[in-house]
DNA sequence: TCCGAATGCAA
DNA sequence: TATTGCATTCGGA
């Protein structure tokens, strides 16, 4: 049987343009989209030896769809000039490569493809359609398959059912219900893929669904009934025409042999060097592996998404020996572990993967239990064999989040050393505002779609463990991860290295921090479970009393945890005044609202008390004891090193960075964080670090002076804005000044200040004006920062860490203002984050050098917490401030306050 | 079982 | 209509 290969060129054109970096030749002509599309055609050509082929593009001009629906694709902006300018050369290349190129005026590419696919089926020709567009799934049949060449996803009939939950013949109905945002075709409101598939499964098709529309209950049902007329039109728009009159012969679809000299001239102009070399040297079609480090010019080769690969499964002793030798010899080895659990303290190894050179990776299964599993090497023996290499600090390793792998190996008594790089942190330092998971990185930087974990294991309740995954599947996935990580390093590291400050932050802050965070997490913190348990009982009694009081006061029973029910009672039945709404428009019942209402009514006061205790109980009192590790008897948090865009750490499972402190009830919880017998908790925190950083960055004379002279800065500020001597400032006036000082750090508006202080806007504006008159350097800094952000698209910390602000030029006022506030805050929050990270490194190194037993156990943004044996406490108390205050030299002094006690509360 | 909304804890 | 996070409960699908 003959085959026809069709490529939906238009669907790839935009994707290539946006997915690839802005490649240009020496003439500064953009070339990225050309490269992307050609690269795909080359891959397809290698992959399929089709008898007929065609590359199809949309032509200019209106189509019948525009006629029946003027908004069709109307939301799409005009094609960017940088893309439009690439099209003539792209077409020239395709032509020179010998591909039949089709463009029909007034007909969309989809309809050309549909028509040819129909003809192919009629002529008993098999059809493969390469597209990134899901609409075309409607064409799939036993003789017609889709392939998404960017993601390597193949869709046959079963594939469509698996992906969309409906058959190819139901795809049009499915899309009509869901809508297609790419073409600006709305669906039924609130109906997503799940609902649409469910309905179509039940009723068969849209017609029958419409006939039973009255049976659908709820809001969705109403939405459906409202959309009935539209659905017909949507169907027409979404249906690919398979009967377009095309004057074409099968002969027109036979590929010609490439015009080599023409092609060489084009590649020369476009500077596609490796392809050019291939032509001139008459090499095989396989492109040589590229070393991104050497690609200095705007050569398109560095964007190669041709991740050709050779993955091996290690099942024999000799294979292992072979790979170990390669690891020993390689300059840098990419390493990844597959495990039984996301909890790094519990995780057991299922397998290990390595990559020594892009494209050459291996998977070493150790504990797969899938049916029909082959004999695997004995894991104890393997680990003993590998331990010397893993622990050798001069054998360099790279990975994606190696802190996790270090924990996993530590569970087997192995200390991973020689961590030279981590792609998670490279991406984080380079582009903290984007996602850093391996799948996203591969897509973004290599234009490559990895096999997702869920593809192998499923998701939700039916998800299986990695050990149940078949070994060949696991090899593809795990070896690919190691391979991709190495390739990412080759792309990311040179980018980092271009900006000295970013390279420094990566090398001297983030990389060294891996081991320190690992150690802190491993150390854990001791919890007085009995105390929490007793306190929980006490709180439970209070909650029961409060609940009864609330029900009695309201005159009915209701769920005190339900904001909706509280809304109904306060504003629906009791008719209390609504002062604030939630973002969705419902009357808010948050703390500030209840506090206001509590002045005049009894119920809000009860609710406030209830909420505070309920929160403490569920989030901390009950939860923390359950998080105690059974083996160590301690709580081990996880620090996320690449989550917060400003450079801060984040803590989770459990979050130890939001343990209560403000209320007496909250402090009872801090009392449960204890030191073992014979040890102390010592806490050291930076005093007003962000305000000090603001003084340093803004160089405001008044602020610098206040800090340099060691004054109470809130009191000084109050004196300035109230125009009174410092000695006469009241507590209330100081509180105002403090709110203003903090507000400034967050880029607060007069509205926000008014809300915060409970004063009117005019008064708030007055305070801000007086502040800026007294501290003109600060006003100036705010303005400079906004401008810097707008100009560069990013802001920087004192050490040069960057935060990109993609919304800073947004036409949407809200987004732009949000970005401006973030621009003002990020340098201060981020510099503080840099400083405490330096402090962690300094403290850790000092403890190691002096061979102290004391250990870091927590970091809370501006505070370090240590567990210290009695005999070391005096030294630590004396040395901590010295170390922390001198990690950086600012134009104001840094001040560190320390405390020690049997528990965290007492250490404050 | 999953997800968004509302809420609230920290620095 | 104040920055950065994480985690809880509810309630709808």
């Amino acid at each position: 049987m003959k085959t026809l290969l069709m490529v939906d060129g238009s669907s790839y054109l935009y994707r290539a343009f946006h997915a690839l970096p802005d490649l240009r030749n020496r003439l500064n002509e953009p070339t990225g989209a050309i490269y992307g599309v050609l690269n795909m055609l080359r891959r397809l050509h290698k992959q399929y030896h089709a008898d007929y082929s065609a590359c199809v593009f949309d032509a200019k001009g209106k189509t019948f769809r525009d006629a029946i629906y003027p908004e069709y694709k109307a939301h799409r902006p005009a094609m960017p000039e940088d893309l439009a300018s690439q099209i003539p050369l792209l077409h020239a290349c395709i032509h020179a490569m010998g591909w039949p190129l089709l463009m029909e005026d007034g007909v969309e590419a989809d309809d050309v493809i549909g028509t040819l696919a129909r003809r192919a089926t009629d002529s008993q020709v098999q059809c493969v359609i390469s597209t990134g567009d899901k609409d075309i799934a409607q064409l799939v049949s036993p003789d017609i398959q889709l392939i998404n060449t960017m993601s390597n996803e193949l869709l046959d009939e079963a594939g469509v059912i698996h992906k969309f939950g409906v058959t190819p013949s139901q795809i049009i109905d499915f899309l009509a219900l869901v809508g297609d945002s790419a073409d600006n075709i709305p669906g039924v409101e609130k109906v997503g893929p799940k609902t649409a598939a469910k309905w179509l499964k039940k009723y068969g098709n849209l017609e029958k669904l419409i006939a039973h529309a009255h049976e659908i209950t709820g809001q969705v049902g109403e939405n459906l009934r409202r959309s009935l007329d539209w659905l017909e039109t949507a169907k027409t728009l979404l249906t690919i025409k398979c009967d377009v009159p095309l004057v074409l012969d099968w002969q027109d679809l036979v590929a010609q042999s490439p015009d080599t000299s023409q092609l060489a001239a084009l590649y020369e102009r476009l500077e596609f060097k490796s392809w050019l070399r291939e032509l001139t040297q008459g090499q095989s079609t396989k492109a040589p592996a590229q070393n991104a480090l050497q690609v200095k010019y705007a050569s398109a080769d560095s964007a190669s998404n041709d991740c050709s690969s050779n993955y091996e499964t290690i099942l024999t002793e000799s294979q292992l020996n072979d790979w170990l030798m390669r690891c020993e010899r390689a300059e840098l080895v990419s390493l990844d572990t597959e495990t039984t659990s996301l909890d790094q303290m519990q995780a057991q190894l299922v397998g290990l993967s390595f990559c020594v050179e892009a494209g050459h990776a291996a998977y070493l299964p150790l504990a797969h239990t899938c049916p029909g599993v082959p004999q695997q090497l004995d894991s104890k023996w393997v680990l003993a064999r590998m331990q010397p290499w893993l622990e050798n600090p001069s054998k360099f390793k790279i990975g994606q989040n190696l802190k996790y792998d270090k924990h996993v190996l530590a569970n087997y008594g192995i200390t991973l050393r020689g961590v030279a790089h981590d792609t998670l942190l490279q991406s984080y330092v380079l582009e903290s505002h984007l996602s850093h998971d391996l799948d996203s990185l591969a897509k973004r930087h290599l234009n490559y779609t990895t096999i997702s974990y869920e593809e192998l294991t499923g998701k939700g309740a039916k998800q299986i463990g990695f050990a149940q995954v078949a070994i060949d599947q696991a090899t593809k996935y795990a070896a690919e991860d190691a391979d991709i990580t190495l390739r990412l390093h080759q792309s990311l590291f040179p980018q980092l290295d271009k900006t000295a400050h970013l390279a420094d932050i990566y090398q001297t802050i983030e990389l060294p921090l891996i081991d320190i965070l690992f150690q802190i997490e491993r150390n854990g913190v001791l919890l007085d479970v009995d105390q929490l348990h007793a306190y929980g009982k006490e709180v439970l009694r209070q909650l029961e009393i409060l609940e009864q009081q609330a029900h009695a006061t309201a005159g009915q029973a209701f769920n005190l945890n339900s904001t909706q029910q509280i809304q109904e009672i306060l504003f629906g039945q009791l008719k209390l005044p609504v002062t604030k709404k939630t973002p969705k428009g419902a009357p808010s019942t948050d703390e500030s609202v209840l506090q206001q209402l509590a002045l005049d009514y009894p119920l809000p006061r009860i609710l406030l008390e209830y909420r505070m205790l309920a929160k403490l109980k569920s989030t901390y009192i009950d939860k923390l004891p359950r998080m105690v590790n059974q083996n160590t008897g301690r709580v081990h948090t996880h620090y996320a090193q690449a989550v917060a865009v400003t450079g801060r750490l984040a803590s989770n499972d459990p979050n130890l960075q939001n343990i209560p402190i403000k209320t007496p009830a909250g402090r009872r919880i801090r009392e449960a964080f204890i030191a073992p017998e014979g040890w102390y908790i010592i806490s050291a925190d930076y005093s007003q670090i962000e305000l000090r950083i603001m003084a340093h960055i803004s160089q405001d004379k008044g602020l610098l002076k206040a800090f340099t002279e060691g004054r109470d800065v809130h009191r000084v500020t109050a004196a300035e804005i109230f125009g009174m001597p410092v000695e006469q400032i009241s507590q209330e006036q100081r509180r105002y000044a403090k709110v203003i000082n903090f507000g400034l750090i967050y880029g607060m508006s007069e509205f926000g200040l008014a809300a915060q202080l409970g004063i009117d806007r005019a008064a708030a504006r007055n305070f801000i004006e007086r502040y800026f008159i007294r501290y003109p350097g600060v006003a100036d800094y705010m303005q400079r920062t906004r401008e810097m952000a707008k100009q560069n698209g990013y802001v920087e910390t004192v050490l040069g860490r960057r935060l990109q602000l993609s919304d800073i030029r947004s036409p949407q006022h809200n987004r732009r203002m949000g970005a401006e506030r973030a621009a003002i805050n990020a340098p201060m929050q981020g510099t503080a984050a840099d400083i405490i990270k330096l402090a962690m490194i300094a403290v850790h190194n000092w403890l190691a050098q002096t061979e102290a037993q004391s250990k870091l156990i927590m970091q809370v943004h501006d505070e370090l917490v240590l567990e210290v044996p009695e005999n070391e406490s005096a030294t630590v108390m004396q040395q901590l401030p010295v170390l922390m205050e001198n990690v950086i030299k600012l134009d104001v002094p840094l001040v560190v306050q320390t405390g020690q006690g049997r528990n965290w509360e007492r250490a404050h």
Side-chain angles (χ1 to χ4, degrees), chain A residues 313-343:
Chain A
T313 309
I314 301 176
L315 288 170
T316 67
E317 210 175 310
S318 74
Q319 277 178 298
L320 180 71
N321 290 338
D322 194 39
W323 271 93
L324 252 180
M325 190 144 61
R326 290 186 210 187
C327 287
E328 291 278 356
R329 284 183 190 159
E331 257 177 63
L332 184 64
V333 178
S334 170
L335 178 71
D336 187 28
T337 59
E338 303 303 334
T339 65
T340 53
S341 162
L342 275 178
D343 176 355

Side-chain angles (χ1 to χ4, degrees), chain A residues 631-647:
Chain A
N631 303 318
T632 64
R634 299 167 69 104
V635 174
H636 303 266
T637 186
H638 302 59
Y639 288 100
Q641 205 180 342
V643 166
V645 292
T646 52

Side-chain angles (χ1 to χ4, degrees), chain A residues 781-796 802 805 808-809 823:
Chain A
Y781 159 69
M782 303 269 162
Q783 200 44 40
R784 275 203 328 269
T785 306
R786 284 191 190 92
E787 279 161 17
M788 152 100 186
K790 195 147 295 176
Q791 187 106 95
N792 300 333
Y794 63 83
V795 290
E796 282 180 333
R802 287 183 182 174
L805 295 156
I808 197 76
R809 298 189 197 98

Side-chain angles (χ1 to χ4, degrees), chain A residues 311 353 361 438-439 448-452 474-485:
Chain A
Y311 298 152
S353 57
L438 198 67
D439 297 353
Y448 180 85
T449 303
T450 47
I451 306 168
S452 78
T475 297
K476 280 185 202 149
Y477 169 84
E480 179 181 83
D481 274 4
D483 181 17
I484 291 298
T485 301

Side-chain angles (χ1 to χ4, degrees), chain A residues 605-623:
Chain A
R605 175 172 303 284
I606 300 169
L607 292 175
L608 279 169
E609 178 85 5
Y610 178 89
R611 277 219 183 130
M612 178 187 74
L613 290 174
K615 167 92 178 179
L616 290 182
K617 185 164 188 296
S618 67
T619 310
Y620 306 103
I621 302 172
D622 293 347
K623 189 65 194 294

Side-chain angles (χ1 to χ4, degrees), chain A residues 242 442 516 697 713 735 763 792 823 869 903:
Chain A
C242 296
I516 298 171
I697 301 180
V713 71
R735 188 179 73 83
N792 300 333
N903 61 53

Side-chain angles (χ1 to χ4, degrees), chain A residues 73 472 534:
Chain A
K73 296 190 179 178
D472 58 334

Side-chain angles (χ1 to χ4, degrees), chain A residues 470-725:
Chain A
I471 290 207
D472 58 334
Q473 296 277 303
T475 297
K476 280 185 202 149
Y477 169 84
E480 179 181 83
D481 274 4
D483 181 17
I484 291 298
T485 301
L486 191 61
R487 293 181 199 242
L488 277 171
H489 166 68
Q490 291 169 354
S491 160
L492 292 175
F493 189 62
Q495 290 184 56
L496 257 183
D497 231 18
K498 278 194 283 199
T499 309
H501 285 151
L502 295 184
D504 277 356
I505 285 169
Y506 170 65
Q507 295 277 5
T508 64
I509 298 183
E510 302 299 351
L511 277 180
L513 208 57
I514 295 176
D515 277 0
I516 298 171
L517 293 176
F518 164 81
Q519 200 57 61
I520 297 178
E521 292 169 357
R522 211 79 199 164
N523 288 341
V525 48
L526 192 62
L527 206 61
D528 187 341
V529 174
D530 293 339
Q531 189 242 302
L532 282 178
H533 189 66
Y535 188 40
K537 281 187 173 170
E538 203 177 302
V539 170
L540 182 62
R541 274 196 300 276
Q542 295 180 41
L543 284 171
E544 282 165 355
I545 294 168
L546 287 164
E547 186 177 20
Q548 280 182 1
Q549 288 179 347
H551 290 171
T553 315
Q556 64 180 291
F558 65 100
N559 182 347
L560 276 76
N561 293 317
S562 165
T563 51
Q564 285 175 37
Q565 293 181 32
I566 291 176
Q567 267 164 33
E568 168 58 20
I569 287 174
L570 290 183
F571 306 112
Q573 300 184 17
L574 299 177
K575 301 271 185 264
L576 304 192
V578 176
T579 52
K580 185 175 163 184
K581 300 211 165 176
T582 66
K584 287 281 281 182
S588 170
T589 67
D590 74 11
E591 188 176 319
S592 67
V593 170
L594 293 185
Q595 230 140 37
Q596 190 63 43
L597 295 172
L599 300 174
D600 302 312
Y601 308 94
L603 186 53
R605 175 172 303 284
I606 300 169
L607 292 175
L608 279 169
E609 178 85 5
Y610 178 89
R611 277 219 183 130
M612 178 187 74
L613 290 174
K615 167 92 178 179
L616 290 182
K617 185 164 188 296
S618 67
T619 310
Y620 306 103
I621 302 172
D622 293 347
K623 189 65 194 294
L624 287 171
R626 283 203 295 263
M627 303 294 290
V628 171
N629 182 299
Q630 287 307 299
N631 303 318
T632 64
R634 299 167 69 104
V635 174
H636 303 266
T637 186
H638 302 59
Y639 288 100
Q641 205 180 342
V643 166
V645 292
T646 52
R648 275 189 176 183
L649 297 177
S651 153
N652 57 51
D653 284 301
N655 182 353
L656 295 187
Q657 291 179 322
N658 71 345
I659 303 299
I661 191 167
K662 286 176 184 156
T663 61
R667 286 196 288 273
R668 296 277 295 267
I669 293 163
R670 288 207 172 209
E671 287 173 6
F673 287 76
I674 55 175
E677 217 24 64
W679 293 62
Y680 284 109
I681 300 287
I682 290 183
S683 155
D685 68 280
Y686 284 106
S687 158
Q688 290 158 341
I689 188 164
E690 293 187 5
L691 219 43
R692 287 171 198 268
I693 292 164
M694 184 163 88
H696 171 88
I697 301 180
S698 71
Q699 288 289 306
D700 182 275
K701 298 253 163 43
L703 218 45
L704 286 173
K705 182 158 177 274
F707 280 122
T708 307
E709 293 176 355
R711 311 286 288 277
D712 174 342
V713 71
H714 298 315
R715 193 167 284 278
V716 172
T717 302
E720 294 289 354
I721 57 182
F722 288 106
M724 289 165 55

